[in-house]
Amino acid sequence: TAIPDCTDPEALAIIAREKTDYSAAVNGAGLLNVGDELFFFNWLKSPDAKNCQVIVDSVGGTTFSGAFHLGEFSITGNRGGKIECSISLSSDGAVAGATNA
């Protein structure tokens, strides 16, 4: 919203902004258990969000909790049966954050 200077109508107006929404996004990568790839693939195709906890595992880290949609899922493999994956999550509703104990 542009707010004019009432004492000097010729002066530039000041822009006031009101935050009306927010969202959270999480991107990550790591190892995936063989057999769990179908769970993530089905979630990717689903219109439904799932309740998640995202744990930032460090001293003084934070755990974020809320419903998220899986927007990207990619897998790569190597010899020995290990699967590496990357995912992208987008929040669906409120997200809470708490310091790890």
Side-chain angles (χ1 to χ4, degrees), residues 11-87:
L12 293 175
I14 297 171
I15 298 294
R17 292 182 176 88
E18 180 179 329
K19 189 173 184 176
T20 59
D21 53 23
Y22 77 92
S23 68
V26 177
N27 298 299
L31 291 176
L32 182 68
N33 290 326
V34 173
D36 287 345
E37 65 276 4
L38 188 56
F39 168 84
F40 285 95
F41 182 65
N42 287 334
W43 183 15
L44 179 68
K45 297 186 309 179
S46 171
D48 300 323
K50 293 195 178 292
N51 291 326
C52 300
Q53 284 189 325
V54 178
I55 301 170
V56 179
D57 193 14
S58 63
V59 176
T62 303
T63 297
F64 298 97
S65 302
F68 288 85
H69 289 280
L70 180 62
E72 182 266 334
F73 172 61
S74 62
I75 57 175
T76 58
N78 61 23
R79 295 177 69 180
K82 303 274 191 284
I83 297 175
E84 293 182 8
C85 75
S86 64
I87 64 171

